[in-house]
Amino acid sequence: MANNNIDVTTIPGYGMDADPENEPTYPMKHYTGDDHNRINYERSVQQPQTVEILQSTERPAITTVFGTSVPPSGLSGAIRRYAFKHSEDRYRHWLPLIFADRINVFEGVIEDLRKGHVPNVFAERGWKVEMKHNAVGFLSKLAITALVTAAIVTTVTRKK
Amino acid sequence: MPEIQHPEDAIVRVTRTCICGSDLHLYHGMVPDTRVGSTFGHEFTGIVEEVGSMVRNLKVGDQVLVPFNIACGKCNFCKQGLYGNCHESNPMATAVGGIFGYSHTAGGFDGGQAEYVRVPYADVGPTVIPADMDPDDAVLLTDVVPTGYQAAEMGGIKPGDTVVVFGAGPIGIMAARCAWFFGPSRVIVIDHIDYRLEFAKNYAKCEVYNFKSLEDPVLFLKKTTDWYGADVCIDCVGCEAEGNTLQTFSGRISLMQAGAGTALQWAINSVKKGGIVSVVGVYGPPFNLIPIGNVVNKGITLRANQASVKRLLPKLIDHVQSGRLNPKELITHRIPLEEVADAYRLFSSKLDNCIKTVLIPSTKS
C-alpha cells in the first residue's frame, strides 16, 4: 500500500504554514509574562455550588465553573471521596477512582432494576450493528464467552 | 434539560455531534471517574437557546460550533493562548482543563451527545458558524481538525522533513493531511486496518503501511529513512494501542494500567536522535508508572497537549473556506442520536468501513 511518489505540488496549501521559528522547545504559547502572576488574575464570578463537588487537593479552591452532572453517591462515591483526599500525584488517588468506576457499573444496574427498568444489554451494547456487519465475529465472541463462563462455573461448582 | 448555572453559561440545542476516538477510552473504561449517568460528547454544533446574564458575544438563535475545551479566557494560561490548559474550568484535576462530556477527571460536565447542553464561558469558546460554511465542516472544527493540525504544528515540521503519523483514525488522518501545510517531503501513516489506511492514503495523500505486514515497524521506519529515523513522529493513538501483546494484556484486556502505550513506544523509538515526538493521543492517568496523560494534558515536552481550539480556529476556518481542507469528507456515517449505542459499536469495532460518525438529534431543526 506504499506510495513513495507523491507529487506534493498537487496538495492544496502545501508548505504554506511552514515556520522556521517553530522550534519545539515550548508548547504554542503567546508569551506575555503572565505566568509569573501565578494564580493572581481576575477570576470570573463563582458558580454556586449546589451539589457535592470533589476537589483536587492541588487547588486552593474549586474553579469558577464546574460540572454538576453526577454527584458522588453510594459505595463508589465513598471510594471517590477517599481518592480525593490524595493528590493527583498518588496512586491512592487514581487507582481507587478506577475501582470506583467498576463498582459504579454494578450500582447503575441495581439502580435500573430498582426503578423497574431491566437493561437491554443487546441494544445498549449495540450488538445489533455487530450482528449486521460482523456476524461471524459476534458469534465467535458469544461462543468464547459462553465457553469461558461454563468453564468457570464448572470449576467453581465441582465437588472436591 | 440543562439549566443556566452561571451568568456566563449558554444553553445550546445540539444540531450535530460526533463520536471521537477518545470517547472510546471512556467507553472502554480507561479514563477514571467517568460515573454512570454522565453524558459523553465533546464535538458538537448547535443553536443558542438561552444565554446567561453576563453573556455578550452570543444571542439566542446563533448557530455555533463549540470547541471541546471549556476555557475561561481570563486565567494566565488562557491569556497566553493555552485554552486547552484553562485553570478555571475543572476543580477535580489540575493537569487537564474542563472538557465537555469527558469524565469527572475533566470537570464533570455533561457533553454534547444530547439534545441540549450547558455551555459554560459562552463568550469564550463558542464561535458563530460562518454563513457560507457547511455544517458538517463546522462540527469537525470543534476537535478533529484543530487536534490534527496542532499535532502537526507541535511536530515543528520543517520543509523536507519525514513525518510519521501513528494511527489512521480521524485525528491521525487529519494530522497527516495538515502535516503537508508545513512542507515535509514525506508523510507516512502507520495503522493495522487496511480500510483506514486506504482512506488515509486517498484523503491525506500520504504513504501508508499496515504494521501487521511488517515484522518490526520501528526497524522498517529506520530502514526507510536511510537508517536515520523520522524527523517527526506523531502519536494519534493514545491508550488503546494495538501491536504489543504484553501491553495489550496488561492495559487493554486486564486494565491493570489505563491502556496500552505501543504507539508512543514506537514513536519514541522511530524518531531520529534529536527528533520530535508530538502526542495528541489520550492516556489515562496511571500509565506505566509514568503520568504520560499529564504530559499530554499539561502540555509539557515531549511536545504534547490538548488542542487549543480557539487559538487555531481563525486559521483553520480560512483553510476550510479556501478549499484547502475538506473536513466533512471524513464523515462516513450519519446516525440518529437515538441510535447512539449502535453508533458506538460501529465505530468501536470498526465496522462498515467507519471513519467518522455524526449523530443527529431529532430536535436539530
Side-chain angles (χ1 to χ4, degrees), chain A residues 47-88:
Chain A
Q47 176 182 334
Q49 186 177 341
T50 55
V51 297
E52 181 182 3
I53 298 295
L54 298 175
Q55 179 195 326
S56 168
T57 58
E58 297 185 23
R59 297 190 58 86
I62 58 173
T63 50
T64 48
V65 305
F66 43 82
T68 54
S69 66
V70 185
S73 64
L75 177 59
S76 64
I79 297 169
R80 286 179 173 127
R81 287 184 196 102
Y82 167 80
F84 273 86
K85 287 185 167 55
H86 306 286
S87 87
E88 297 162 60

Side-chain angles (χ1 to χ4, degrees), chain B residues 167-240:
Chain B
I171 300 287
I173 293 169
M174 190 55 69
R177 176 64 189 85
C178 290
W180 291 118
F181 287 127
F182 301 92
S185 63
R186 294 178 75 185
V187 177
I188 298 169
V189 173
I190 305 284
D191 198 281
H192 66 110
I193 298 173
D194 281 334
Y195 85 81
R196 301 211 304 183
L197 288 168
E198 194 63 35
F199 193 101
K201 181 180 168 185
N202 293 329
Y203 181 84
K205 300 180 180 9
C206 51
E207 294 172 49
V208 295
Y209 297 97
N210 187 327
F211 67 72
K212 287 196 169 165
S213 69
L214 306 170
E215 189 182 344
D216 183 332
V218 173
L219 185 62
F220 169 79
L221 288 167
K222 287 281 171 63
K223 200 185 285 186
T224 194
T225 52
D226 302 324
W227 302 100
Y228 197 66
D231 299 289
V232 177
C233 283
I234 301 176
D235 170 6
C236 294
V237 179
C239 62
E240 292 210 52

Side-chain angles (χ1 to χ4, degrees), chain A residues 4 14 17 27 38 44 64 70, chain B residues 8 35 76 121 149 181 184 299:
Chain A
N4 293 307
Y14 176 78
D17 290 344
R38 304 287 175 171
S44 181
T64 48
V70 185
Chain B
E8 292 172 57
R35 301 189 194 177
N76 292 334
Y121 299 133
Y149 186 92
F181 287 127

